[in-house]
Amino acid sequence: MDKWQDNRAWFLVLPVFVIVAFSALIPLMTVVNYSVQDIFGPGETVFVGTEWFKQMLGDYRLHDALLRQFLFSGLVLLIEIPLGILIALAMPKKGWGVSTSLVILALPLLIPWNVIGTIWIIFTRPDIGLFGVGINSLNLLDPPFDHTATPLYAWITVMLMEVWHWTPLVALLAYAGLRAIPEAYYQAARIDGASPWATFWYIQLPKMRGVLTIAVLLRWMDSFLIYAEPYVLTGGGPGNSTTFLSIYLVKIALQQFDLGPGAAFSLIYFLIVLLFSFIFYQALQRVGKGEKG
Amino acid sequence: MKVKKKTIGLLIYFAILILPIYWMLNMSLRSNADILASFALYPKDITFVNYLKILTDSSWYMGYVNSMIYVFMNTVIALTFALPAAYAFSRYRFLGDGQMFFWLLTNRMAPAAVFALPFFQLYSTIGLLDTHIAVALAHCLFNVPLAVWILEGFMSGIPKEIDETAFIDGYRFPRFFITIFIPLIRAGVGVTAFFCFMFSWVELLFARTLTVTAAKPISAIMTRTISTSGLDYGLLAAAGILTIIPGALVIWFVRNHLAKGFALGRV
């Protein structure tokens, strides 16, 4: 669809620009301000240039947290996107099953994030949790399952929680994409004698490109910024094994009150998320270009 | 046969999805002593003592009221601002449109953890600290861009000829937009409102930072009570279950709307 060329459209965008800029630019300026100053008290600040950036870039705990974060977000995308598509394909296309499925799928998405952590503590504790007690009664694991005991168990628990929590969002988006495919495409595929796999690969997947772009971007951003759920569930432990970037950041900025390093940290953090989101955005736009979507 | 297998798989998945929530429900209907004393798949002596405590103590239940007030405000603000902007993005090419769109999305990527502190200073400077509107405005940071993004998709699904015909018929823009265009995408508005509600309802960090007592959300009250009185699993579970109910009600009422919105394939 050709769009009209008219710069007066800015008048329609202006209110959004103002309200978002109010919440985004002013705090961002504050953060930039902090990141180049040492603050002793109200009115007592010294300009320190790139000192905090150097300190944070050389901080090995930051490197560890960053690696952990990449591993986590990578696993999230690898598991949740295919699983979400699979669920969307299995969902009913009409009848009462549609709204029932949507309601069940949306349920985990509507729970406050710290409550998610609470649910999974209650669910996985080895003494009172269904999962903890259930898996230990099989006597397969040595040492027995306890989400606070070893880094591996902590990771498994956090991953289970994350997949449980967010796969429904991917499924909902993928389902929306599937429903948008006109019936005529399927009829054409049937006449050509296309296998279900071919139908999926040449019709359904390319048609889902738009919604999958949204799904990948949202899951990348939100998993990279994850805070409340693992904080409540593991507190970043055992040791530092589940200390993701946000948990480390809050520790520096709000608990130790190191505003300068914290601000430098958050700018670096922001740029990483931005860079990768831009790459994903461009890549996914390009992937769809070849196939008429 | 194939269809059957798919359905069975889906049912198993749904069962797994509901299991942790069921477990919390189970815990919420037992007293803390009972929970710690024995493991049980279902509550043997159902007690509502946890729920009674929450529903009779105003420092608990006001949290729900506060959350609902700012979530509602945020949804209304986000939709009002996002609707015209989404129209501009879906219909016009203008100077810097691509950059503007991506900039809006970048605001979803800012780490909330450190923005919390500047937010606190900003809102105390303008005297809005501990008000519902402060949280509603702060949540606009991520909800307005999302609303623009979703609405733009729905609007692009409406052929431009409709606009052209209306303008030829002598409609001025505001009247066309409100009486013709918005009703055309009402399913999209419903879906967008749902997503705004959802992201505002589940957010904790901003809501907790910007409120002290008067507008404190329920999720923050939960964490405070836990840290001071040790872990009362029964009470915690009951409070958790109660945070699910508003969301579950909303989705139940909009489910057909949502299904229709999804059927248009524009999310």
Side-chain angles (χ1 to χ4, degrees):
Chain A
M1 180 163 71
D2 280 334
K3 293 180 181 178
W4 297 310
Q5 173 82 40
D6 192 341
N7 282 333
R8 280 178 305 173
W10 260 103
F11 287 114
L12 298 173
V13 182
L14 204 60
V16 158
F17 178 76
V18 171
I19 196 167
V20 177
F22 174 74
S23 293
L25 293 185
I26 300 175
L28 189 66
M29 282 303 110
T30 319
V31 173
V32 171
N33 229 349
Y34 285 152
S35 72
V36 293
Q37 290 178 343
D38 200 353
I39 298 157
F40 299 110
E44 290 176 65
T45 54
V46 179
F47 182 76
V48 293
T50 56
E51 187 61 34
W52 300 133
F53 288 93
K54 282 187 197 137
Q55 184 189 323
M56 287 323 296
L57 285 173
D59 183 350
Y60 73 94
R61 278 166 303 182
L62 178 79
H63 300 164
D64 290 352
L66 188 63
L67 275 181
R68 231 171 266 140
Q69 190 69 66
F70 274 119
L71 181 62
F72 178 73
S73 292
L75 282 173
V76 163
L77 288 184
L78 279 179
I79 298 172
E80 290 181 8
I81 301 290
L83 189 61
I85 295 175
L86 213 62
I87 294 161
L89 287 171
M91 273 173 61
K93 292 189 182 60
K94 50 179 176 286
W96 59 270
V98 176
S99 39
T100 314
S101 304
L102 289 177
V103 170
I104 296 175
L105 271 180
L107 212 51
L109 301 172
L110 288 158
I111 304 172
W113 293 343
N114 58 326
V115 179
I116 299 276
T118 309
I119 290 179
W120 279 81
I121 291 179
I122 294 176
F123 190 57
T124 55
R125 272 184 65 111
D127 54 348
I128 60 168
L130 182 61
F131 182 79
V133 172
I135 206 157
N136 282 338
S137 68
L138 298 175
N139 274 326
L140 290 174
L141 295 172
D142 182 55
F145 180 84
D146 180 353
H147 70 273
T148 56
T150 73
L152 180 67
Y153 291 157
W155 264 83
I156 290 174
T157 316
V158 172
M159 279 313 299
L160 278 175
M161 172 177 70
E162 166 65 33
V163 169
W164 175 83
H165 185 189
W166 284 111
T167 305
L169 181 73
V170 181
L172 285 176
L173 289 167
Y175 182 69
L178 282 176
R179 301 290 295 130
I181 303 173
E183 189 55 33
Y185 282 69
Y186 292 117
Q187 282 165 3
R190 229 171 287 139
I191 292 166
D192 289 348
S195 66
W197 174 249
T199 311
F200 172 71
W201 192 250
Y202 293 107
I203 297 175
Q204 292 173 320
L205 198 58
K207 276 287 178 188
M208 283 194 285
R209 191 187 93 241
V211 286
L212 287 182
T213 308
I214 299 182
V216 169
L217 277 174
L218 278 180
R219 286 319 303 131
W220 166 260
M221 292 188 245
D222 290 347
S223 71
F224 214 82
L225 302 174
I226 191 166
Y227 172 74
E229 305 99 307
Y231 182 75
V232 172
L233 182 60
T234 66
N240 280 324
S241 58
T242 52
T243 300
F244 298 111
L245 277 177
S246 272
I247 297 179
Y248 188 43
L249 178 58
V250 168
K251 207 165 161 186
I252 291 181
L254 297 178
Q255 287 164 16
Q256 300 173 0
F257 231 66
D258 289 334
L259 293 184
F265 184 169
S266 66
L267 286 178
I268 298 168
Y269 193 170
F270 187 31
L271 287 179
I272 295 172
V273 186
L274 201 61
L275 180 71
F276 275 90
S277 299
F278 187 70
I279 293 171
F280 280 140
Y281 187 69
Q282 293 292 331
L284 287 165
Q285 292 288 321
R286 205 150 297 158
V287 165
K289 287 264 167 65
E291 305 139 358
K292 277 242 159 34
Chain B
M1 187 63 212
K2 213 182 119 284
V3 178
K4 274 255 171 72
K5 226 187 267 173
K6 258 195 334 199
T7 314
I8 291 169
L10 194 68
L11 287 177
I12 292 173
Y13 173 73
F14 283 162
I16 295 172
L17 210 57
I18 290 182
L19 212 52
I21 299 175
Y22 162 73
W23 198 248
M24 189 160 74
L25 182 67
N26 174 7
M27 290 293 161
S28 74
L29 295 171
R30 301 166 64 187
S31 72
N32 201 43
D34 182 26
I35 290 170
L36 294 173
S38 65
F39 179 84
L41 287 175
Y42 58 91
K44 294 202 173 67
D45 320 295
I46 291 182
T47 166
F48 290 99
V49 67
N50 301 314
Y51 289 100
L52 275 177
K53 177 159 185 202
I54 292 169
L55 293 175
T56 52
D57 182 348
S58 75
S59 72
W60 269 104
Y61 68 72
M62 277 316 286
Y64 292 98
V65 177
N66 290 334
S67 293
M68 276 184 246
I69 292 173
Y70 71 69
V71 167
F72 177 74
M73 282 166 124
N74 170 268
T75 307
V76 171
I77 297 172
L79 278 176
T80 318
F81 281 76
L83 274 166
Y87 182 81
F89 282 118
S90 87
R91 291 297 195 255
Y92 292 100
R93 235 176 307 124
F94 51 95
L95 194 66
D97 52 354
Q99 287 85 338
M100 181 72 191
F101 201 64
F102 193 72
W103 174 74
L104 278 178
L105 290 180
T106 62
N107 291 303
R108 268 195 60 92
M109 307 172 198
V114 149
F115 268 54
L117 190 72
F119 261 52
F120 181 83
Q121 293 179 324
L122 174 66
Y123 283 102
S124 53
T125 308
I126 55 179
L128 283 179
L129 208 61
D130 204 19
T131 59
H132 300 107
I133 192 77
V135 184
L137 280 175
H139 284 179
C140 281
L141 179 66
F142 47 83
N143 267 351
V144 167
L146 189 78
V148 172
W149 200 7
I150 298 175
L151 285 172
E152 195 267 341
F154 277 98
M155 288 178 180
S156 297
I158 307 281
K160 219 169 54 172
E161 284 69 31
I162 290 182
D163 310 32
E164 280 161 352
T165 316
F167 292 140
I168 290 167
D169 288 351
Y171 275 91
R172 290 182 56 78
F173 176 75
R175 189 157 157 243
F176 156 74
F177 194 64
I178 293 164
T179 61
I180 298 181
F181 197 73
I182 291 179
L184 278 177
I185 54 153
R186 59 180 180 278
V189 175
V191 173
T192 313
F194 168 72
F195 274 93
C196 288
F197 169 90
M198 174 183 118
F199 279 108
S200 183
W201 178 256
V202 298
E203 205 277 341
L204 169 73
L205 207 57
F206 285 153
R208 192 177 63 188
T209 314
L210 295 175
T211 55
V212 187
T213 47
K216 198 115 194 136
I218 180 60
S219 39
I221 289 172
M222 277 178 70
T223 55
R224 187 193 60 190
T225 312
I226 295 153
S227 60
T228 53
S229 65
L231 274 180
D232 183 339
Y233 287 107
L235 191 62
L236 192 60
I241 287 292
L242 288 175
T243 65
I244 301 179
I245 290 174
L249 283 179
V250 166
I251 179 120
W252 183 253
F253 283 122
V254 301
R255 69 188 190 284
N256 291 325
H257 223 55
L258 211 58
K260 223 179 286 165
F262 278 112
L264 289 172
R266 296 281 172 185
V267 167

